[in-house]
Amino acid sequence: MASRTVQSSRPITIRRAVARDAGRLTRLVRGSGAYAGQYAAAVAGYRVGPDYIEAHRVFVAVGADEQGDRILGFYSLVLAPPELDLLFVADHAQGRGTGRLLVAHMQSEARAAGLERVKVVSHPPAEGFYHRAGAVRTGTALANPPAVPWDRPEFEFRIPPE
């Protein structure tokens, strides 16, 4: 399937991730301020490797700046079962619409793949974002210590046909 590019009035482009993005995506996850404090252990050893990028539909939001292309965020869509596995926006890019662009792109990709719904198991601090982005709360994923010692809200994006 061909990748779609989404652009806004700001110089942000969404493109398919490639293997050479793996290190930058890993650093974005590990450096996320949303995972500070009690949540830090969840991402301390997390790795987004080239194998993960190859196996899933991973897309990055890229913005141009004086140093060249800068990754502002990314998401990963798993088709079976349909799930938004990862969605991260760099701390410096939050509050500027990057997350909404990524969600809109994900919905477009899901629609093109014939999906009607996409599940999200949210990080607790991101619950408000998913609600504002149009996801519907469907339940709670219970803690699974030691890997995940806290309950997480579950959401679902309903993908209407065009």
Side-chain angles (χ1 to χ4, degrees):
M1 172 171 50
S3 173
R4 281 169 292 292
T5 299
V6 174
Q7 294 188 350
S8 72
S9 59
R10 289 175 246 132
I12 297 174
T13 301
I14 296 178
R15 64 162 171 80
R16 188 80 184 243
V18 294
R20 72 177 177 274
D21 294 325
R24 293 195 295 174
L25 300 184
T26 295
R27 285 189 296 280
L28 197 157
V29 169
R30 290 182 184 175
S32 174
Y35 282 87
Q38 68 175 339
Y39 302 114
V43 295
Y46 199 87
R47 178 180 168 269
V48 180
D51 53 336
Y52 182 88
I53 291 170
E54 180 68 28
H56 302 293
R57 293 179 185 218
V58 181
F59 291 87
V60 295
V62 179
D65 65 10
E66 57 279 350
Q67 282 110 28
D69 286 344
R70 187 174 197 183
I71 292 180
L72 303 175
F74 76 101
Y75 77 88
S76 173
L77 177 63
V78 175
L79 297 182
E83 183 172 359
L84 178 61
D85 187 39
L86 300 171
L87 174 65
F88 280 85
V89 174
D91 291 349
H92 67 84
Q94 291 182 11
R96 299 179 184 176
T98 304
R100 284 190 178 274
L101 283 174
L102 288 166
V103 166
H105 190 275
M106 178 277 300
Q107 290 172 314
S108 178
E109 285 292 314
R111 185 176 300 108
L115 303 178
E116 295 178 359
R117 299 168 188 273
V118 175
K119 176 182 175 179
V120 179
V121 178
S122 175
H123 178 52
E127 182 173 2
F129 167 78
Y130 285 112
H131 178 72
R132 289 186 305 277
V136 176
R137 178 83 187 251
T138 58
T140 301
L142 299 177
N144 183 21
V148 184
W150 55 84
D151 293 346
R152 294 161 294 153
E154 287 185 349
F155 288 91
E156 179 177 88
F157 282 102
R158 296 184 179 138
I159 311 298
E162 284 188 305

